Amino acid sequence: MVTLAEVARHAGVSASTVSYVLSGKRSISTTTRQRVEESIRKLGYHPNAGARALASSKSNIIALMIPLRTDMYVPVMMEIAIAVAAGARTHGYDILLLTGEEGPDAVRRVTGSGLADAMILMDVELDDERLPLLRGTDQPSVLIGLPADTEGLTCVDLDFRATGALCVEHLAELGHRDIAVIGEAAAVYERHTGFAERTLDGLRTRARELGLRLLHRPCDGGYDAMAVTLARVFDERPGTTGFVVQNEAAVEPLLALLRQQGRAVPEDVSVVAVCPDQVATQASVRLTSVAVPAQEMGRRAVEHLVAKLEGRGSDEVVLLAPELTVRASSGPAPARP
Amino acid sequence: MVTLAEVARHAGVSASTVSYVLSGKRSISTTTRQRVEESIRKLGYHPNAGARALASSKSNIIALMIPLRTDMYVPVMMEIAIAVAAGARTHGYDILLLTGEEGPDAVRRVTGSGLADAMILMDVELDDERLPLLRGTDQPSVLIGLPADTEGLTCVDLDFRATGALCVEHLAELGHRDIAVIGEAAAVYERHTGFAERTLDGLRTRARELGLRLLHRPCDGGYDAMAVTLARVFDERPGTTGFVVQNEAAVEPLLALLRQQGRAVPEDVSVVAVCPDQVATQASVRLTSVAVPAQEMGRRAVEHLVAKLEGRGSDEVVLLAPELTVRASSGPAPARP
DNA sequence: ATAGGGCGTCGAAGCGCTTCGACTGCTTTC
DNA sequence: GAAAGCAGTCGAAGCGCTTCGACGCCCTAT
């Protein structure tokens, strides 16, 4: 293991000079710098992370807390995580992966031990028990998701309320009056995950404003669950012609079941999904959808966090504006009898 | 930030005593231990990770290198990652998330800087450029996947060759003679990802032994790609009655297209999938499948790595035996005309 | 000429922890 | 009854780096 001291000896300078070459915190003559850089390359030197962390009280690590649950659409999480990791690297940070399992203890452990300089939390609940801890520390953090009280916090999220509104508007414009919402699994609502409730709120509010009828049903995803849910929907509201789906695991089952029942999409029934673009374009019908911009969210979270770490930036709630892309699954409502 | 020295003062002992209480590396009297533990709790002490790493040359961190590509089934990766993270925690390790993007440089960086004590590599290619680096260091590592040359490496993977054989055997027993294999995206084969090629090898070898005809076609996944692929298959081998699918993104499209073409599953055509159980049970037809035991693989990888870190355990290739679960998508081949 | 000020470099003091050797009282052992 | 061993504790020496103050040098402004 090559140390800074060895590099210094090899280059014929003092250790501090090497350190300043590395950090750029003091000016170094061109000749010296080149000599040092040469030595570093020749010896294959890598600064020791622990020593660095100890001396500078900075680890250059960002902790990412990712939910462990599997009742939520995993690819989105994965995409965010990868975007976060890639983004962090461009700023010289590495990612420490924490699973939600440990809960608040993980926050304590990480902030207490100086393992990480900052954290990003995913899958934040409306009244998340990790939040008081975050407020009580001076370690920067960014949430992906939106809790009920954002005081003193920085959050990045899709504007799900606007997303809900947008879906309703689109269907309303096409003349649909009776809309069914196929939501996430019931458990998601039960633990008060913000995005699900906010979408619903946006849907309901706009539906009321536009005078539409709205029926919301959570759904576990998969064919069997979807079949049951769909039967109930048509039972209760036979005139339903518009669907909003916010549950990737229910998208394909829904399309298949509609087909099976002889309801054509989009001629008889329109479907708008809230899902990543990839899902929308790979489905059996190219879906009109509002994209969940996972990459963008990950990227933005890192940017804000780095800004905070560098002393720039402040607490802020960033809501990304939803964009609805019209594809083949939505069209004018059928003429009513 | 509470330090070890403060705890020592508070408890009226020396710093080294506190350290030994924490590590258990020397015997401590019960009364002293309790006093120290009390102080630790009262002061809310957390050992500083950097200092620890520096003094002990151990970071208690395992690096996990995860592919960045999105042309492979992501949930499996995610599931492995989460299993690894959870498993690592039970042994006192944290996970550092590296994306494949950096390639071999990441390996150099991590081993050189002492950021992590060990690594787990996912998505290993047959002739992976990271392997020489791993062999050239004394840092323990485990691969999830199987390269061409496993000399000096520890690998954990599903036995994909046996998996392929198993699928063929199942279809053969049911009387199918003409089998089509819907594989991963062409890019996966082009970069010589081991699991894809080994599955194919298993399929081909067993098919030859049993005298079956086998047609392999890579497929990008999604409806359009699947439609093209399927058309070609039936064009070339109209008598195909058995399908093996190793591409989760192609499963549902395949089922939908078969249905659309009036081919009933499993009456006219049998389908065997290689995919996580969740996909198999949530598909529109409950699929006969060989499960990809993602969790198990993650868990095993950690176990082996920890064993190595503790001086137990040695280089070894662990191939998990595949298990085929018969569900509703496979049945006797139709009587031939 | 001389004070002032950058610039470039060095030495030394930590950062908070682990770990080795040494020491003190005991208890065992023959 | 002396030698040996052990449990329990302490002090001190680092681990490899950052960073502060100091110093010498040369250039500029007075």
Side-chain angles (χ1 to χ4, degrees):
Chain A
M1 194 95 304
V2 190
T3 70
L4 198 163
E6 296 177 50
V7 174
R9 203 175 320 127
H10 186 270
V13 297
S14 76
S16 48
T17 300
V18 177
S19 178
Y20 286 122
V21 167
L22 252 29
S23 71
K25 293 196 178 169
R26 283 201 185 174
S27 52
I28 297 286
S29 69
T30 317
T31 59
T32 306
R33 189 202 323 290
Q34 285 172 349
R35 204 141 34 85
V36 170
E37 281 166 353
E38 175 75 11
S39 299
I40 288 177
R41 214 155 17 75
K42 268 197 184 143
L43 301 179
Y45 169 71
H46 283 272
N48 182 88
R52 245 183 181 178
L54 178 55
S56 65
S57 341
K58 293 198 308 171
S59 60
N60 281 297
I61 288 180
I62 293 173
L64 175 67
M65 218 163 154
I66 209 170
L68 172 102
R69 324 177 201 285
T70 46
D71 60 355
M72 259 174 35
Y73 196 52
V74 186
V76 174
M77 299 292 164
M78 183 80 172
E79 217 178 312
I80 294 178
I82 286 181
V84 165
R89 278 308 303 148
T90 72
H91 293 279
Y93 287 90
D94 272 299
I95 291 298
L96 194 78
L97 187 67
L98 304 175
T99 64
E101 204 183 18
E102 271 186 284
D105 284 347
V107 176
R108 247 174 251 132
R109 194 162 59 82
V110 167
T111 60
S113 66
L115 235 185
D117 297 333
M119 358 193 16
I120 296 178
L121 302 194
M122 296 174 58
D123 193 30
V124 178
E125 298 174 19
L126 276 182
D127 185 22
D128 203 293
E129 46 178 350
R130 296 168 296 187
L131 301 187
L133 286 171
L134 291 183
R135 293 202 179 89
T137 174
D138 52 353
Q139 190 170 66
S141 58
V142 170
L143 314 187
I144 296 184
L146 203 58
D149 177 11
T150 61
E151 179 66 29
L153 299 173
T154 295
C155 310
V156 173
D157 206 356
L158 175 62
D159 188 341
F160 280 99
R161 200 166 273 125
T163 299
L166 199 54
C167 294
V168 167
E169 281 161 24
H170 177 67
L171 290 172
E173 276 168 20
L174 292 169
H176 298 273
R177 315 301 302 162
D178 249 310
I179 296 178
V181 178
I182 308 300
E184 297 279 359
V188 174
Y189 296 93
E190 272 154 28
R191 65 167 185 269
H192 300 293
T193 307
F195 83 92
E197 303 204 347
R198 281 182 290 126
T199 310
L200 195 52
D201 185 40
L203 288 161
R204 285 195 174 132
T205 306
R206 202 78 187 99
R208 200 176 317 117
E209 287 167 7
L210 296 172
L212 310 189
R213 291 181 8 121
L214 197 79
L215 183 68
H216 170 247
R217 286 290 171 265
C219 181
D220 279 343
Y223 280 81
D224 300 344
M226 189 64 237
V228 173
T229 306
L230 191 61
R232 292 228 187 97
V233 166
F234 281 123
D235 198 41
E236 198 165 334
R237 299 272 172 89
T240 301
T241 59
F243 280 85
V244 176
V245 196
Q246 180 175 212
N247 181 342
E248 287 78 356
V251 164
E252 203 50 55
L254 174 62
L255 294 173
L257 288 162
L258 288 172
R259 213 176 289 133
Q260 210 172 302
Q261 300 180 358
R263 306 184 197 252
V265 174
E267 292 77 8
D268 302 327
V269 169
S270 286
V271 176
V272 178
V274 180
C275 66
D277 271 338
Q278 213 207 351
V279 173
T281 57
Q282 286 212 348
S284 52
V285 178
R286 293 171 50 83
L287 292 168
T288 294
S289 72
V290 175
V292 176
Q295 300 226 28
E296 173 79 3
M297 283 159 62
R299 243 200 44 236
R300 294 284 275 265
V302 171
E303 306 272 284
H304 275 266
L305 202 52
V306 170
K308 279 188 170 186
L309 283 166
E310 290 174 355
R312 304 177 284 117
S314 57
D315 294 341
E316 196 179 338
V317 173
V318 179
L319 289 185
L320 303 176
E323 285 180 30
L324 186 140
T325 305
V326 179
R327 297 200 184 83
S329 70
S330 64
R336 264 166 294 171
Chain B
M1 194 94 304
V2 190
T3 70
L4 198 164
E6 296 177 52
V7 173
R9 205 175 317 126
H10 186 271
V13 297
S14 76
S16 48
T17 300
V18 177
S19 178
Y20 286 123
V21 167
L22 252 29
S23 69
K25 294 195 176 169
R26 283 200 185 176
S27 52
I28 298 286
S29 69
T30 317
T31 59
T32 306
R33 188 200 327 287
Q34 285 171 350
R35 204 141 34 86
V36 170
E37 281 166 354
E38 175 75 9
S39 299
I40 288 177
R41 213 152 19 74
K42 267 197 185 142
L43 300 179
Y45 168 71
H46 283 272
N48 181 89
R52 245 186 180 176
L54 177 55
S56 65
S57 345
K58 293 197 307 172
S59 61
N60 281 296
I61 288 181
I62 292 172
L64 175 67
M65 219 163 155
I66 208 170
L68 172 102
R69 326 176 199 285
T70 46
D71 61 356
M72 258 174 34
Y73 195 51
V74 186
V76 174
M77 300 292 164
M78 182 79 170
E79 217 178 312
I80 294 178
I82 286 181
V84 165
R89 278 307 303 147
T90 72
H91 293 278
Y93 288 90
D94 273 299
I95 291 298
L96 194 79
L97 188 67
L98 304 174
T99 63
E101 203 183 20
E102 272 186 285
D105 284 347
V107 176
R108 250 175 246 127
R109 195 164 59 83
V110 167
T111 60
S113 67
L115 235 184
D117 296 333
M119 355 192 21
I120 296 178
L121 303 194
M122 296 173 59
D123 193 30
V124 178
E125 298 174 18
L126 276 181
D127 185 21
D128 203 292
E129 46 178 349
R130 296 167 297 187
L131 301 187
L133 287 170
L134 291 182
R135 293 202 178 89
T137 174
D138 52 353
Q139 191 170 64
S141 58
V142 170
L143 314 187
I144 295 183
L146 203 58
D149 177 11
T150 61
E151 179 65 30
L153 299 173
T154 295
C155 311
V156 173
D157 206 356
L158 176 61
D159 188 340
F160 280 100
R161 199 165 275 126
T163 299
L166 199 55
C167 293
V168 167
E169 281 161 24
H170 177 67
L171 290 172
E173 275 169 21
L174 291 169
H176 298 272
R177 315 301 303 164
D178 250 310
I179 296 178
V181 178
I182 308 300
E184 298 279 359
V188 174
Y189 295 93
E190 273 154 27
R191 66 168 184 269
H192 301 294
T193 306
F195 83 93
E197 304 204 347
R198 280 182 292 126
T199 310
L200 195 52
D201 184 40
L203 287 162
R204 284 192 175 135
T205 305
R206 201 78 185 99
R208 200 175 318 118
E209 288 168 5
L210 296 173
L212 309 190
R213 292 184 5 126
L214 196 80
L215 182 69
H216 169 247
R217 286 288 171 268
C219 180
D220 280 343
Y223 280 82
D224 300 345
M226 188 65 238
V228 173
T229 306
L230 191 61
R232 293 229 187 98
V233 167
F234 280 124
D235 198 42
E236 198 164 334
R237 298 274 172 88
T240 301
T241 59
F243 280 86
V244 176
V245 195
Q246 181 175 213
N247 181 344
E248 287 80 354
V251 164
E252 204 50 55
L254 174 62
L255 294 174
L257 288 162
L258 289 172
R259 212 177 290 133
Q260 210 173 302
Q261 301 179 358
R263 304 182 198 256
V265 174
E267 292 77 7
D268 302 328
V269 169
S270 286
V271 176
V272 178
V274 179
C275 66
D277 272 337
Q278 213 206 352
V279 173
T281 57
Q282 285 211 348
S284 52
V285 178
R286 292 172 51 83
L287 292 168
T288 293
S289 71
V290 175
V292 176
Q295 302 226 28
E296 173 81 2
M297 282 159 61
R299 243 201 44 236
R300 294 283 276 263
V302 171
E303 307 272 283
H304 276 266
L305 201 52
V306 170
K308 278 188 172 186
L309 283 166
E310 290 173 355
R312 304 178 283 117
S314 56
D315 294 340
E316 196 179 336
V317 174
V318 179
L319 289 185
L320 304 176
E323 284 180 29
L324 186 140
T325 306
V326 179
R327 296 200 184 83
S329 69
S330 64
R336 263 166 294 173

